[in-house]
């Protein structure tokens, strides 16, 4: 009997439109949100969150990455668009709760979203 859950290779990619996001000087709040997101998955952070704000015109917004024990999370937020655009990539070889990830995005006034869930165990298969 194994003490560890079975290894899975799942990836969810989310494109979301939200009402608002953090401002450039609120990196601590963005970091905290990413930590909470990982907590919703009962996963362990190995490094990060690492967050940065890009001030380059047409690219303004947040980027954040977290290395987790079972892989990674990457998020990019274009906060100057209307609505604000969020692109999230969550990959894990652990068990993932996509509903909890969507719930976490609701903190920003989630308006619309699309998801693709991939099973990457043996090939790239859309679930």
């Amino acid at each position: 009997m194994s003490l560890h859950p079975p290894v899975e290779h799942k990836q969810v990619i989310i494109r979301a439109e939200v009402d608002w996001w953090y401002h450039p000087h609120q990196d601590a709040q963005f970091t905290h949100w990413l930590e909470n997101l990982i907590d919703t998955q009962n996963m362990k952070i190995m490094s990060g969150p690492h967050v940065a704000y890009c001030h380059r015109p047409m690219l303004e917004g947040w980027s954040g990455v977290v290395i987790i024990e079972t892989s990674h999370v990457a998020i990019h937020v274009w906060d100057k668009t209307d609505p604000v655009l969020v692109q999230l990539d969550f990959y894990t070889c652990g068990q993932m709760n996509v509903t909890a990830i969507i719930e976490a995005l609701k903190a920003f006034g989630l308006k619309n979203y699309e998801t693709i869930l991939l099973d990457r165990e043996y090939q790239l298969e859309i679930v």
Side-chain angles (χ1 to χ4, degrees):
M1 174 187 233
S2 173
L3 297 176
H4 301 286
V7 173
E8 298 181 10
H9 295 276
K10 298 287 194 300
Q11 179 177 20
V12 67
I13 300 168
I14 300 172
R15 181 195 185 279
E17 296 173 345
V18 300
D19 284 331
W20 63 275
W21 196 263
Y22 296 121
H23 296 289
H25 302 292
Q26 295 176 317
D27 57 327
Q29 289 180 329
F30 187 37
T31 298
H32 184 70
W33 182 85
L34 281 165
E35 290 168 341
N36 286 338
L37 176 66
I38 303 307
D39 284 345
T40 70
Q41 304 300 304
N42 298 312
M43 295 179 181
K44 181 181 175 186
I45 294 174
M46 293 178 54
S47 181
H50 305 281
V51 301
Y53 190 85
C54 177
H55 295 276
R56 183 175 164 191
M58 305 290 294
L59 299 176
E60 291 109 342
W62 285 102
S63 290
V65 294
V66 184
I67 299 169
I68 55 177
E69 193 173 55
T70 56
S71 198
H72 74 273
V73 176
I75 186 169
H76 305 281
V77 182
W78 286 263
D79 65 353
K80 301 295 186 198
T81 61
D82 185 20
V84 173
L85 177 61
V86 177
Q87 302 276 9
L88 176 69
D89 174 5
F90 198 123
Y91 176 74
T92 180
C93 57
Q95 296 182 338
M96 179 189 306
N97 181 339
V98 176
T99 302
I101 296 170
I102 300 299
E103 285 297 316
L105 287 169
K106 288 182 179 179
F108 306 111
L110 185 62
K111 295 174 76 166
N112 298 304
Y113 68 93
E114 297 175 274
T115 63
I116 293 177
L117 180 60
L118 297 172
D119 183 337
R120 294 172 45 167
E121 182 74 23
Y122 300 106
Q123 61 190 20
L124 293 179
E125 179 182 342
I126 296 176
V127 179

